[in-house]
Each structure stands twice: as structure tokens, then as C-alpha cells.
Amino acid sequence: MYKIESKNVDFYYGPSQALKNINIAIRSNTVTALIGPSGCGKSTYLRLFNRMNDLIDDIKISGQVMIDGEDIYGKGINVDSLRKNVGMVFQKPNPFPKTIFENVAYGLRVNGIKDKKFIEERVETSIKQVVLWDEVKDKLKKSAFELSGGQQQRLCIARALAIQPSVILMDEPTSALDPISTAKVEELIYELKAKYTIVIVTHNMQQAGRVSDRTAFFYLGELVEYDETKKLFTNPKQERTQNYITGRFG
Amino acid sequence: MLSSSITSLTVVLIVVFLFKEGIGLFNQKPVEPGYVIAINKNNKVKELSSVQLKNIYDQKITHWSEVGGTHDSIVLFQLEDISNYYSDEQIGDNMQNLGSCMSRLVDSLPNIIAFFPDKYLDKKFQGTLLEVDKVTLHDFFAGKEWIPTAKPSAQLGVLPLILGTLWVSLGAILLALPLGLAAAVYMSEIANERVRRIMKPLIELLAGIPSVVYGFFGLVIIVPLIQKTFDLPVGETGLAGSIVLGIMALPTIITISEDAMRNTPRAMKEASLALGASRWQTIYKVIIPYSISGISAGAILGIGRAIGETMAVLMVTGNAAVIPHSILAPVRTIPATIAAELGETSNGGLHYKALFALGCILFLITLFINLTVEFISNRQKHNKH
């Protein structure tokens, strides 16, 4: 069974159609990269999985998006619970103006967890998972803004991990980072695959090639090609994919 | 450049004028100019404070012993009492003999205190002319009575007015803050774009209504309502003032807090929601803490508006210059006092200067408020990076 499945998904911002009939199936414990030029709908598509698009007025969606076999746009779906299961990391590091500790503990606290010891342990585990513990263990009470951009982004990943989701969405997680921080995050993505299903939007095709198992190429709201990453980059079936990955447009 | 220097110059001139007139108060004696207060030359009392004088003439002090003299009752004398002592013939047709009559009268009554114009002060006058202290800062700020037209000695205690102002403003902000904050949260986080586009101009319109209209509304609707609800003899109370001012402060609080909340980066909100926080959790754990400086600035500016508001308060608070002991008592605020009384004062007189001094106090309060806002919004900018 697939972890995430989308069937005939159409999506509209007001009158304009942003996604046209998207069908993708994603297996557990894989990394899927969504690539394509700006405005192709890849971020919009990613944000369907945790219903982040709901924040925007005047949107319309049709078709089905299933996670663990359940239609997340169906009736009786609790969006807050869905988002606990589907974590998200954003384009720019966006820690809260709180301490490093409180940033990671936030998701636990809003879930009603009060047990101090439990929270402390979970915060520590999560920060260790993103290999940040040694750098921040002495300044957990300091503001998260004191960290570097790369550290902040890893902190945001730790924050998402703390509530133990099964899916992690990453929206161009390294676009605001320097090459060394980028390498660290990519390494992390590779390690996290063992426990989580990861969907990552990226502008950077080398990155998609390095971290993902499968890649989906979007163009003007259409899914042009979806295949194993190796195949898609070495032997694309579609000409448009070929043109894009060889840099002829985009 | 030119216009800004003209503006600054105007402001400076206004402030200088205000303070020049206001501070002049403390060079004045609280006794009406052209009048003297005289006692018998054998009376041991040499000096009376303004408050003592007032109490003597109100007959709250009836014996000289209470102000440091002998155990005799005080005989009060004002000019119109003269006919009790001397006949019209003795005084003379044109009051030409009034001076000598006064001299004789004060000489003959050892316990008299006489208040009369100094033009009837005879050259051979034997009694003691009492010195009355100048108005002191302490009298002014700690005095509990504001009766600037009292004779012989004006009472210029501004404590009831300051407390009245703060009392009404505090009530206003206690009413307006929760309501305004709720409205701001609704507008920035819950209402959709269409509702917001209708509500925002409506709320801004609320700020443009002339204050006298608010006062009228308060007088016709709120005052009778309070009178009925609490079964009071009159409905013009501090509470009525607080309600009207609260409504007037709402637009300031709502627009400023709403702007601050909308300035919360979308990324912050999304981060919170993406972690499974509900909309309300996001509002009170992320958005309100993030925009707290903007909210405080809105609240303080709202207070500033309430403190400086004149007309509406004048119309609904009952204007009794007494220290308020409950929200259901009439109060009088500083701006209302200035507005109501300035027309009746003589230019440059004691009362006139006292009102200017009140203006100075008001200016200092609002200056303090504005500096606080400045401080808070600077800190806000600092916080974000």
C-alpha cells in the first residue's frame, strides 16, 4: 500500500487552475522530489498534503489526496491531527521568537503534553536527530534567533520531528542556506528516510538527484513525468523533462 | 524642511506659552487681588493658610484656638455685613466714610476677621493684615478641593481632577481593551477578506465621528441606562464617561493591534499550524506574543485619547470635582474642567493661571504616554532582529 496517493487532483486559486489532474503514489520511507520551474505548482501540490492551502481564501480542490488510505479532504477529517502526522519544513528557517528549547517543545505543548520530563527527553532526542545537540546543548534557554541560518533550519526540522509525524514535507529547505549547511541538511534527509516518508520541493536538480528516490517533474500545473530519480535524470521519457533537466528552460 | 521647522516652532511656542502661564500660578496668592483680610491688632494669629481661611468662612473652624489663637469664637465679616454695624448715614452717601468705619470696627471687635477691598483700607488702620501664603506645589497637587471661585480664598487642589481623569481613563481602557483586542483578532485572523474590507473602513469611520456626537449619544442612551440599571439619582457618572471614552478609544486600539497582528510573518503562523496547533492556539501562543508591542502601543494610545478627550466626558460625567470613591459617582476630568471654566475666568487671573497649570499637567501626562509608546515601538523593532 502507498503512504501517499493523489488521484485526479485539480486545484484552483480563484478562477485560475494551478494543478491539473495530478496522479502520484508515494511509498513509505522514501524521499520524493518535486521539481519544476517557478510557478509550476510544485509547492502548491506539496501544501495539499498538510492542507496548508486551506489558509488561502477562495481555493477549490477536487480529486482525492489519501494518506495511509484515508482521504484527507474527506468529511470528519481533523486538520490539526492531520498536521501532527504530516510535519513541514519551510523555505526560510522560521523559528518562533522563543528559546531554542521552547521552539522544539512547542508542538508538544500545543498537543496538550504537560509532563516536563517527557518534554525534555523528546526535545533532546529531536535535536540529536538533526545533529544539532552538541552545538546548542549549552544554550537551550537562549533565543533561537542567535543560531546561524543553517542551525535554525535544522532546529525547525527538529521542531517538526518532535511531534513524531510519519510524513515530512520540505519546501525548498536549503534555498536560504550556504553550501555547508545545505550538505548537512541533505545528509540529514538521507538519514531521516529510515523513519519517515519525505516529500521535498527543490529548485536544485543536483539536490533532487542526490537525496531522492523518485522525482516528479511539474510544468505549468501538470505532472509531466514521475519516475525513479535515476531514470528521470538519465533517460527521461518526455522531451519537456529532457529540456528542463538539461537547462534549456526554467 | 521649512514646513517641519514651522511646525516644530509652533509646538515649542505653544508649550512655552502653556508653561509660562501655568507656572505663573505659583507666584500668586490665592486671595482675590484688591482685597485684604484683616484681624484685630491684638489677635496673636499672624498667618492663615488658604485651606484654613476657607474653613473659617465655611464655619468649619469657629474658634481662634484652632488656628493658633485664643479660645474665642471667630466673628466673620464680609463687606455686605457692614450695615449690621453702621447706619447708612455713618458710612456716607458715597461710602466716603467706609474706610474709617472699617478701622473702628476691626479695632472694636477683638475676634473679628474681615474680608474687604483694599480701597477701604484707612490710612490710620490699626488692625493686622493677614498674610496668605502663595499657592504652593503641595497645595496644588495634594489639595483635595477644587473651588477656584471660593471667597475669600480660592481652593486649587487638583487631586480630584487628576484622579477623576485617571479613573475615567482606566475604566475606559478596561472596557475597551478586551473588546478591541477581540475585534482585532477577529479582523486579522478570522474574518475573510470581504468582511475585513467592509469592517476596516467602518471602524476607521468610528474614529472620525466628532466627540460631541459621542457625548450626545452618551447623554441620551448611556446615562439614562446607567441611572435605571443601578437605580441612581443621576446617571452622569464616571462609568458613563468610561463607556463613552471606551467606545472612542476602540478604533485606535483595533486598528493598531490589527496592523501589528497582520504584521506577524506568515511563516510564523504557518510554522505553528504545521505543528498541529489549532487556530486559537496559534493566535494566543504565536500571534499575540509576536504583536504584543503593537497591542500595547494601541492600548496606550487609546488611553492617551481617553485622557485628552474633552467634550464627550464633559457631557456625561456629571463634573463634580470630588475625589471619586466608586465608578458610580460623578467625576470631573482635567480637560472638562479647562473647557468648562476657561470662559469664565479673567485673563491673567488666578483661576486662569490655575487652568493653564492644569493644561501643563495634562500635557505632561500625554507626553509621558507618547514617550512610552515610542519606547515600546522602538523595542519592538529591536526585537525582530
Side-chain angles (χ1 to χ4, degrees):
Chain A
M1 192 172 106
Y2 294 107
K3 180 73 186 173
I4 304 172
E5 238 182 313
S6 81
K7 292 181 183 164
N8 309 323
V9 171
D10 290 315
F11 185 85
Y12 300 83
Y13 288 116
S16 68
Q17 188 167 8
L19 293 172
K20 296 169 189 161
N21 195 29
I22 310 292
N23 290 284
I24 282 182
I26 295 169
R27 290 188 191 281
S28 283
N29 303 88
T30 57
V31 177
T32 306
L34 311 180
I35 61 168
S38 296
C40 67
K42 56 192 190 305
S43 280
T44 303
Y45 184 63
L46 183 79
R47 287 163 163 260
L48 286 180
F49 299 140
N50 65 347
R51 294 188 59 167
M52 226 33 167
N53 289 325
D54 291 15
L55 303 183
I56 303 161
D57 288 334
D58 204 17
I59 55 158
K60 209 179 85 192
I61 176 171
S62 65
Q64 280 183 311
V65 181
M66 325 271 277
I67 291 181
D68 294 323
E70 195 177 11
D71 183 359
I72 60 168
Y73 286 87
K75 274 186 187 154
I77 286 290
N78 181 332
V79 180
D80 299 339
S81 320
L82 167 75
R83 290 179 184 151
K84 279 161 204 165
N85 185 37
V86 184
M88 187 161 194
V89 178
F90 296 83
Q91 195 167 349
K92 275 188 194 155
N94 58 349
F96 299 120
K98 299 172 188 279
T99 62
I100 293 170
F101 183 89
E102 283 305 321
N103 259 285
V104 183
Y106 183 88
L108 302 169
R109 294 199 198 278
V110 296
N111 280 308
I113 296 169
K114 297 241 159 56
D115 184 348
K116 231 179 135 191
K117 194 139 183 8
F118 179 83
I119 291 178
E120 277 170 17
E121 281 171 11
R122 185 64 74 74
V123 168
E124 186 177 337
T125 330
S126 310
I127 298 179
K128 278 179 177 161
Q129 266 182 291
V130 297
V131 209
L132 191 63
W133 183 251
D134 289 336
E135 293 157 64
V136 303
K137 64 181 176 200
D138 299 322
K139 45 181 180 180
L140 291 173
K141 294 268 181 287
K142 293 256 173 74
S143 165
F145 289 147
E146 288 184 18
L147 299 177
S148 73
Q151 289 173 321
Q152 285 186 13
Q153 192 62 308
R154 278 184 284 152
L155 185 72
C156 290
I157 299 175
R159 180 173 71 181
L161 298 180
I163 48 172
Q164 299 192 324
S166 63
V167 178
I168 297 176
L169 310 175
M170 295 185 170
D171 190 356
E172 298 183 41
T174 60
S175 66
L177 303 184
D178 60 86
I180 296 171
S181 303
T182 301
K184 282 186 181 168
V185 171
E186 285 180 7
E187 199 178 318
L188 189 59
I189 292 171
Y190 194 78
E191 281 163 21
L192 291 174
K193 195 167 78 169
K195 280 187 165 175
Y196 308 91
T197 307
I198 296 171
V199 185
I200 176 171
V201 164
T202 177
H203 258 120
N204 179 333
M205 277 171 287
Q206 285 76 27
Q207 182 171 67
R210 285 193 296 266
V211 300
S212 69
D213 302 302
R214 294 177 77 88
T215 298
F217 170 59
F218 283 75
Y219 185 64
L220 297 176
E222 282 175 62
L223 176 63
V224 177
E225 192 165 350
Y226 174 49
D227 211 333
E228 281 176 30
T229 301
K230 262 183 211 156
K231 276 192 197 160
L232 190 123
F233 278 102
T234 53
N235 187 19
K237 292 193 189 87
Q238 302 278 333
E239 202 190 330
R240 281 180 295 179
T241 316
Q242 173 76 36
N243 289 343
Y244 182 69
I245 58 177
T246 52
R248 251 170 252 171
F249 73 94
Chain B
M1 181 60 201
L2 183 69
S3 59
S4 69
S5 22
I6 290 176
T7 314
S8 328
L9 195 67
T10 316
V11 171
V12 169
L13 282 178
I14 290 175
V15 172
V16 167
F17 175 67
L18 181 67
F19 275 84
K20 189 185 131 264
E21 295 290 320
I23 287 169
L25 174 71
F26 301 103
N27 271 327
Q28 296 225 335
K29 297 185 176 183
V31 181
E32 219 172 311
Y35 279 75
V36 291
I37 294 162
I39 54 173
N40 188 277
K41 62 183 176 199
N42 296 324
N43 199 321
K44 282 189 287 179
V45 178
K46 294 283 174 276
E47 236 184 24
L48 286 174
S49 74
S50 160
V51 177
Q52 284 170 330
L53 256 179
K54 178 192 167 266
N55 285 337
I56 288 173
Y57 272 85
D58 282 352
Q59 300 184 342
K60 282 182 193 146
I61 294 177
T62 51
H63 287 81
W64 284 111
S65 54
E66 293 170 64
V67 289
T70 54
H71 281 276
D72 293 302
S73 32
I74 298 173
V75 178
L76 288 179
F77 176 86
Q78 280 173 306
L79 201 58
E80 54 264 37
D81 302 331
I82 191 77
S83 54
N84 300 344
Y85 299 94
Y86 296 100
S87 68
D88 288 353
E89 288 83 38
Q90 283 170 306
I91 299 165
D93 292 339
N94 297 320
M95 303 200 175
Q96 65 271 38
N97 299 325
L98 190 59
S100 55
C101 290
M102 284 309 307
S103 289
R104 268 179 285 148
L105 183 69
V106 175
D107 259 1
S108 61
L109 295 168
N111 297 316
I112 195 172
I113 177 162
F115 172 63
F116 59 95
D118 58 5
K119 62 178 170 180
Y120 301 123
L121 199 58
D122 203 55
K123 286 194 186 83
K124 286 171 274 175
F125 187 75
Q126 299 272 305
T128 316
L129 293 180
L130 275 184
E131 285 295 320
V132 178
D133 298 338
K134 284 179 182 173
V135 181
T136 62
L137 275 175
H138 179 264
D139 287 345
F140 191 64
F141 284 103
K144 294 193 175 91
E145 280 188 300
W146 174 263
I147 314 172
T149 51
K151 284 178 181 169
S153 176
Q155 300 300 303
L156 300 173
V158 295
L159 195 60
L161 306 181
I162 295 179
L163 289 179
T165 306
L166 297 179
W167 190 235
V168 172
S169 307
L170 181 75
I173 212 68
L174 286 181
L175 291 172
L177 194 55
L179 208 61
L181 201 54
V185 166
Y186 173 75
M187 293 224 327
S188 80
E189 300 306 319
I190 296 165
N192 63 31
E193 197 52 37
R194 204 173 331 127
V195 174
R196 215 183 79 84
R197 231 179 284 153
I198 299 168
M199 274 185 71
K200 184 113 179 166
L202 273 182
I203 285 168
E204 278 158 7
L205 193 70
L206 210 58
I209 297 176
S211 64
V212 69
V213 175
Y214 281 104
F216 187 60
F217 164 78
L219 200 59
V220 174
I221 311 279
I222 295 171
V223 166
L225 197 69
I226 289 176
Q227 187 178 358
K228 254 182 239 157
T229 317
F230 298 98
D231 197 20
L232 298 170
V234 285
E236 279 106 342
T237 54
L239 180 62
S242 294
I243 293 174
V244 171
L245 284 183
I247 298 172
M248 294 180 74
L250 271 180
T252 316
I253 296 177
I254 295 175
T255 41
I256 295 180
S257 327
E258 198 234 344
D259 284 346
M261 287 183 199
R262 286 179 72 81
N263 277 335
T264 310
R266 204 187 138 112
M268 282 306 150
K269 274 188 255 176
E270 289 187 341
S272 170
L273 292 167
L275 288 166
S278 68
R279 186 183 247 181
W280 284 109
Q281 285 172 324
T282 303
I283 287 170
Y284 71 76
K285 285 192 155 202
V286 174
I287 293 169
I288 291 181
Y290 197 89
S291 50
I292 193 72
S293 346
I295 295 169
S296 343
I300 295 170
L301 282 177
I303 297 181
R305 167 126 208 227
I307 284 182
E309 175 47 43
T310 310
M311 209 54 227
V313 210
L314 183 65
M315 290 168 80
V316 300
T317 52
N319 296 317
V322 288
I323 293 178
H325 47 83
S326 94
I327 52 166
L328 296 176
V331 297
R332 172 187 278 211
T333 65
I334 294 176
T337 306
I338 298 175
E341 295 180 3
L342 194 60
E344 299 163 11
T345 62
S346 57
N347 199 334
L350 180 75
H351 189 181
Y352 171 89
K353 290 197 167 153
L355 293 179
F356 267 92
L358 274 183
C360 296
I361 295 176
L362 197 62
F363 171 76
L364 291 177
I365 295 176
T366 44
L367 181 70
F368 173 74
I369 286 170
N370 282 316
L371 290 178
T372 315
V373 173
E374 197 73 9
F375 174 73
I376 288 175
S377 40
N378 275 344
R379 208 185 49 181
Q380 180 181 20
K381 277 177 212 142
H382 198 72
N383 257 357
K384 283 184 181 161
H385 294 287

